[in-house]
């Protein structure tokens, strides 16, 4: 399983460096809030979904609850067993989502931010940061425009 985590780990570690070197410090400063917002949304969603699946199993497994179908009719024994089997599968997925996947995204967000801070001098250096955009846009800069030409 560690071999399978190599690619996602490298994506998290290398994306701020590659993004900053190719596109510059301004673009990197825009990528980090995007990673933060999407990571927080995914973490909250995963934690809530995992908790709902976990609680559904507890509810279905409880002998005090009378489960009812869509029409409001109480479920018979076979239907209750089928619901219990489905809830066990949901619990198997929900526990790791709630306990590991959601909280692990917090580490991902922090790691991207720390790597960006560590490599900030490299990204901010005019010789290293923004290799693609700075070189491309410097060819089209306003200072090279003919006099009287405005954007």
């Amino acid at each position: 399983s560690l071999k399978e985590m190599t690619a996602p780990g490298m994506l998290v570690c290398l994306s701020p460096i590659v993004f900053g070197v190719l596109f510059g410090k301004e673009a990197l400063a825009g990528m980090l809030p995007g990673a933060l917002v999407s990571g927080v949304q995914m973490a909250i969603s995963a934690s809530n979904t995992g908790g709902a699946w976990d609680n559904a199993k507890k509810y279905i497994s409880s002998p005090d609850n009378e489960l009812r179908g869509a029409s409001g009719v109480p479920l018979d024994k076979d239907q209750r067993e089928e619901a219990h089997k489905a809830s066990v599968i949901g619990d198997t997925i929900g526990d790791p989502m709630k306990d590991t996947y959601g909280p692990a995204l917090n580490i991902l967000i922090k790691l991207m931010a720390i790597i960006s801070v560590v490599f900030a001098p490299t990204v901010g250096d005019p010789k290293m940061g923004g290799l693609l955009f700075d070189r491309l846009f410097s060819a089209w800069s306003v200072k090279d425009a003919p006099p009287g030409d405005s954007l």
Side-chain angles (χ1 to χ4, degrees), residues 26-80:
E26 292 86 2
L28 178 60
M31 185 197 80
L32 288 175
L36 173 77
V37 169
S38 60
V40 166
Q41 185 272 330
M42 287 176 60
I44 292 171
S45 176
S47 295
N48 286 340
T49 302
W53 277 343
D54 188 32
N55 290 337
K57 181 186 176 279
K58 291 175 185 171
Y59 180 79
I60 290 171
S61 299
S62 173
D64 299 336
N65 296 321
E66 183 178 336
L67 299 178
R68 297 182 178 273
S71 62
V73 178
L75 298 180
D76 62 14
K77 184 179 179 185
D78 291 337
Q79 291 172 325
R80 278 186 73 92

Side-chain angles (χ1 to χ4, degrees), residues 52-54 56-58 60-61 78-94:
W53 277 343
D54 188 32
K57 181 186 176 279
K58 291 175 185 171
I60 290 171
S61 299
D78 291 337
Q79 291 172 325
R80 278 186 73 92
E81 287 178 9
E82 195 65 32
H84 179 72
K85 287 179 189 177
S87 72
V88 169
I89 293 170
D91 185 49
T92 303
I93 297 167

Side-chain angles (χ1 to χ4, degrees), residues 4 6 16 18 21 34 48-49 52 56 66-67 81 83 89 93 100 109 116 121-122 126 131 141-142:
E4 292 177 6
T6 303
V18 172
V21 168
N48 286 340
T49 302
E66 183 178 336
L67 299 178
E81 287 178 9
I89 293 170
I93 297 167
T100 59
I109 294 166
S116 298
T122 303
L131 292 178
S141 69
V142 177

Side-chain angles (χ1 to χ4, degrees), residues 16-17 28 110-124:
I17 299 168
L28 178 60
K110 287 180 182 179
L111 185 60
M112 287 182 79
I114 292 298
I115 289 173
S116 298
V117 169
V118 168
F119 285 94
T122 303
V123 172

